[in-house]
Each structure stands twice: as structure tokens, then as C-alpha cells.
Amino acid sequence: MSHYDEIEIEDMTFDKTLQIYHYPCPCGDRFEIGIADLRDGEEVAVCPSCSLTIKIIYEVDELPKDE
């Protein structure tokens, strides 16, 4: 599977309330991935409005700790 882009997790925005990371998509919506998915090793964020995906570059031990 090819991805639209590879994004460093530091370049994404973390929503503490929803526990998701998001990043702007060229379609005008945004790529989203839950922190639980990242902890499970998932590295692909999807845009709900179009077919694009991004691969997230991160280390599990660098994620915010559970509150």
C-alpha cells in the first residue's frame, strides 16, 4: 500500500480530550489516528473524507503516558 506521505508524530497535533492525533489532509479534512492504535503498533492514519492515508513515524515509548 502506498501512502500520501510519511509524517513525524511531532508534526501532528494531539487532542487530549479525544485521545487522537490529527494532521491536515489536502482534501480539507484531516488524517486521524487514536493513541490506543499507535500503542498497538498501528502506523497508518486515514482521512475520513477521502482515500488518502499517511504513515506515521514514531516510537511507542515516546507517546504520552496514560492519564
Side-chain angles (χ1 to χ4, degrees), residues 14-66:
F14 183 58
D15 184 320
K16 216 171 169 151
T17 307
L18 297 176
Q19 294 290 294
I20 61 167
Y21 278 91
H22 54 86
Y23 188 81
C25 179
C27 80
D29 202 345
R30 62 189 191 180
F31 299 101
E32 297 181 346
I33 188 166
I35 192 164
D37 295 323
L38 291 166
R39 287 192 182 110
D40 289 341
E42 181 61 50
E43 57 184 21
V44 177
V46 297
C47 175
S49 297
C50 72
S51 61
L52 294 178
T53 61
I54 54 172
K55 181 176 179 180
I56 303 163
I57 311 301
Y58 74 103
E59 297 291 330
V60 172
D61 56 4
E62 294 174 359
L63 294 172
K65 303 293 178 230
D66 274 328

